[in-house]
Short mmCIF file of all heavy atoms in Angstrom, two decimals:
data_model
loop_
_atom_site.label_atom_id
_atom_site.label_comp_id
_atom_site.label_asym_id
_atom_site.label_seq_id
_atom_site.Cartn_x
_atom_site.Cartn_y
_atom_site.Cartn_z
N VAL B 114 -15.01 -18.05 -1.42
CA VAL B 114 -16.12 -18.40 -0.41
C VAL B 114 -16.68 -19.87 -0.65
O VAL B 114 -16.67 -20.57 0.34
CB VAL B 114 -17.28 -17.49 -0.65
CG1 VAL B 114 -18.50 -17.77 0.33
CG2 VAL B 114 -16.91 -15.96 -0.44
N ALA B 171 -22.95 -1.51 6.55
CA ALA B 171 -22.82 -1.99 8.07
C ALA B 171 -22.07 -0.90 8.84
O ALA B 171 -21.87 -1.08 10.06
CB ALA B 171 -22.16 -3.39 8.08
N GLN B 288 18.98 -2.00 -0.36
CA GLN B 288 19.18 -2.20 -1.75
C GLN B 288 19.66 -0.82 -2.26
O GLN B 288 18.94 0.12 -2.24
CB GLN B 288 17.95 -2.65 -2.30
CG GLN B 288 18.05 -3.36 -3.62
CD GLN B 288 16.48 -3.77 -3.95
OE1 GLN B 288 15.74 -4.31 -3.20
NE2 GLN B 288 16.14 -3.31 -5.14
N GLN B 329 23.44 13.31 -3.86
CA GLN B 329 24.06 13.09 -5.15
C GLN B 329 25.37 12.45 -4.87
O GLN B 329 26.19 12.85 -3.87
CB GLN B 329 24.27 14.39 -5.92
CG GLN B 329 24.85 14.15 -7.24
CD GLN B 329 25.02 15.53 -7.98
OE1 GLN B 329 25.94 16.27 -7.65
NE2 GLN B 329 23.98 15.88 -8.71
N ILE B 351 33.25 18.93 15.18
CA ILE B 351 34.65 18.76 15.00
C ILE B 351 35.25 19.85 14.00
O ILE B 351 34.75 20.14 12.98
CB ILE B 351 34.95 17.38 14.38
CG1 ILE B 351 34.51 16.22 15.48
CG2 ILE B 351 36.46 17.32 14.07
CD1 ILE B 351 34.61 15.05 14.83
N ASP B 466 22.75 -2.85 21.44
CA ASP B 466 22.54 -3.61 20.23
C ASP B 466 23.77 -4.15 19.54
O ASP B 466 24.81 -3.39 19.69
CB ASP B 466 21.64 -2.90 19.17
CG ASP B 466 21.04 -3.92 18.33
OD1 ASP B 466 21.21 -5.22 18.41
OD2 ASP B 466 20.13 -3.44 17.39
N VAL B 513 36.23 -1.46 21.03
CA VAL B 513 37.27 -0.36 21.30
C VAL B 513 36.75 1.03 21.05
O VAL B 513 36.77 1.90 21.62
CB VAL B 513 38.64 -0.67 20.75
CG1 VAL B 513 39.50 0.53 20.82
CG2 VAL B 513 39.12 -1.94 21.26
N LEU B 525 35.81 15.61 26.75
CA LEU B 525 35.39 16.87 26.20
C LEU B 525 34.33 17.67 27.10
O LEU B 525 34.60 18.80 27.34
CB LEU B 525 34.55 16.60 24.87
CG LEU B 525 34.85 17.42 23.56
CD1 LEU B 525 36.30 17.24 23.31
CD2 LEU B 525 34.00 16.98 22.41
#
Side-chain angles (χ1 to χ4, degrees):
Chain B
V114 180
Q288 210 176 302
Q329 185 181 80
I351 297 169
D466 201 357
V513 170
L525 224 63

